[in-house]
Amino acid sequence: MSNMDTKHDSFAVSDCALLTIAAGERAINLRELAQGLRDVELDSIYHHCWGRLLQPQFDEPEYNNDFASWTYHHFHDKTVAERLSVIDPVEYADIEELRQDLLEIVETRLDESELAQFSRAGQQFIFLQSQLIALDTGRSVNHPRELAETISAMNAGSIYYHFIDARRRTADRRDDFSLWLTGWGDEYTPLIEAIGAIDPYFSSLQHIRVMLAGVCREHLTEVDHG
């Protein structure tokens, strides 16, 4: 990200949108879901775990990836849905590891349940993948003390771009806010650690925005009065 190359550069606020396309795999039962998980590109796995954060959801929030949601709502197997839902992509070093654990859950369910082997879903699961399009908002942050107010005014696309997608773009899998703050000295280390402690996966983008703004206000007040 070019605005982080030089110490004390401003932080350019970006927005983003997802261009979604079919990935070429479909599933009507658990066996076909397992096959799709084996065959699709890693971008599809990423989309079904993270991309839904940018899309309005009307199902139960505990089924927080598309695989879990489909197995609950259309395959009607709460057991496998709950197992899939507790997977947290933040804990994985790469998407291939995430794929293998998702696949293991589905294959285990097939082995242990005759009903799961022969049931058909009421609606197909269509594997998708998406391309992220970054958009320049024309807004920037010139000093860390401006960060809390700026984050509070960000839309969901900006939060997704800087806090979620950044972990895929950056070499050390960090969010853009933390990377920018590293150029401002050791006094911002506690804030960087607080931002890094926020797990984005089990929250909405709106809740993530509130949490980010909150830790910024708390820690920047301490810096100003320190």
Side-chain angles (χ1 to χ4, degrees):
M1 191 172 178
S2 61
N3 65 328
M4 297 177 195
D5 292 340
T6 304
K7 184 177 180 180
H8 293 186
D9 272 359
S10 61
F11 181 100
V13 178
S14 296
D15 193 358
C16 72
L18 294 181
L19 177 62
T20 303
I21 59 174
E25 298 286 342
R26 296 170 180 251
I28 197 64
N29 55 42
L30 217 55
R31 289 192 180 280
E32 291 182 3
L33 183 68
Q35 190 61 51
L37 286 169
R38 293 186 195 98
D39 293 344
V40 292
E41 299 290 334
L42 293 178
D43 282 349
S44 181
I45 305 294
Y46 183 90
H47 171 83
H48 287 296
C49 289
W50 288 112
R52 71 194 325 257
L53 284 176
L54 274 178
Q55 302 166 344
Q57 299 296 319
F58 304 102
D59 54 12
E60 289 82 357
E62 64 265 28
Y63 300 109
N64 45 30
N65 63 65
D66 290 337
F67 308 115
S69 180
W70 179 79
T71 53
Y72 178 76
H73 289 284
H74 303 294
F75 191 70
H76 306 297
D77 188 330
K78 186 175 182 180
T79 298
V80 71
E82 290 180 343
R83 293 175 184 173
L84 289 167
S85 191
V86 298
I87 291 283
D88 185 352
V90 175
E91 299 176 356
Y92 291 82
D94 58 59
I95 304 301
E96 182 59 43
E97 289 183 22
L98 173 60
R99 182 216 297 271
Q100 293 305 318
D101 275 6
L102 291 167
L103 181 58
E104 182 178 354
I105 289 170
V106 174
E107 290 178 332
T108 297
R109 186 60 177 157
L110 283 167
D111 289 340
E112 69 187 17
S113 171
E114 185 174 341
L115 182 63
Q117 292 182 36
F118 298 103
S119 294
R120 289 171 60 86
Q123 178 176 309
Q124 283 187 329
F125 183 91
I126 301 175
F127 284 86
L128 304 172
Q129 59 192 72
S130 55
Q131 178 181 352
L132 184 139
I133 301 171
L135 307 167
D136 183 10
T137 68
R139 292 179 286 127
S140 62
V141 184
N142 297 312
H143 192 278
R145 70 172 66 95
E146 304 170 10
L147 201 53
E149 182 178 354
T150 302
I151 288 174
S152 293
M154 284 183 180
N155 62 20
S158 293
I159 297 296
Y160 185 91
Y161 183 81
H162 291 298
F163 196 64
I164 305 295
D165 186 69
R167 299 161 191 254
R168 188 163 60 155
R169 285 185 279 106
T170 57
D172 52 359
R173 302 175 66 242
R174 299 176 72 186
D175 64 273
D176 287 337
F177 305 114
S178 296
L179 286 174
W180 182 66
L181 287 167
T182 58
W184 289 84
D186 293 342
E187 60 186 326
Y188 293 101
T189 298
L191 174 56
I192 293 169
E193 292 174 348
I195 290 174
I198 296 174
D199 187 333
Y201 191 60
F202 296 103
S203 300
S204 67
L205 291 172
Q206 291 75 17
H207 188 214
I208 293 170
R209 177 176 57 208
V210 171
M211 289 190 291
L212 284 169
V215 298
C216 286
R217 288 191 185 96
E218 176 185 352
H219 287 271
L220 292 173
T221 299
E222 293 176 1
V223 170
D224 289 341
H225 293 87

